[in-house]
């Protein structure tokens, strides 16, 4: 679990940040926390989850936070083998949530 991962990271002299997210419900707050952790990293970092999907979607959502155009975000999604339709749906859902639409 995350406590064992934190202990192993500490023993190896690495920083550890636990950001639990639900794959079907990645929030703006989750994305911000992930972006802050990435930005705070002084160098390369490791991010993981069981399948890698949550990490990939968080990475894509950072692109949205940074103001990348949809075509740029969808191109990145394709490069990392994410379904562009699923990414577009997540972007739309995220934007609707931010605007208070459901």
């Amino acid at each position: 679990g995350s406590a064992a991962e934190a202990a192993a990271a500490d023993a190896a002299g690495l920083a550890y940040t636990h950001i639990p997210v639900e794959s079907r419900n990645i929030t703006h707050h989750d994305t911000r926390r992930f972006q802050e952790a990435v930005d705070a990293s002084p160098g390369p970092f490791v991010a993981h989850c069981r399948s890698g999907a949550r990490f990939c979607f968080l990475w894509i959502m950072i692109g949205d936070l940074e103001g990348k155009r949809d075509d740029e975000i969808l191109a990145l999604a394709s490069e990392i083998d994410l379904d562009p339709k699923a990414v577009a749906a997540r972007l739309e859902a995220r934007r609707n949530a931010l605007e208070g639409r459901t």
Side-chain angles (χ1 to χ4, degrees):
S2 60
E5 291 172 350
D10 186 57
L14 302 171
Y16 179 84
T17 303
H18 181 233
I19 305 172
V21 296
E22 296 177 23
S23 58
R24 298 213 185 274
N25 189 30
I26 295 174
T27 68
H28 179 73
H29 177 72
D30 297 333
T31 306
R32 272 283 178 226
R33 284 197 62 214
F34 182 69
Q35 182 181 34
E36 289 167 0
V38 170
D39 290 347
S41 176
F45 64 92
V46 175
H48 74 94
C49 65
R50 183 181 49 80
S51 69
R54 287 170 287 185
F55 162 73
C56 289
F57 278 114
L58 284 166
W59 192 255
I60 292 295
M61 294 302 151
I62 286 176
D64 191 42
L65 288 176
E66 292 176 343
K68 289 191 181 345
R69 295 184 326 262
D70 284 5
D71 62 322
E72 294 173 304
I73 293 170
L74 295 176
L76 176 59
S78 293
E79 286 177 29
I80 59 176
D81 293 327
L82 289 178
D83 176 4
K85 289 180 183 178
V87 171
R90 291 232 181 184
L91 287 170
E92 181 179 355
R94 179 184 172 281
R95 291 169 182 163
N96 287 340
L98 288 173
E99 295 174 7
R101 294 182 280 160
T102 57

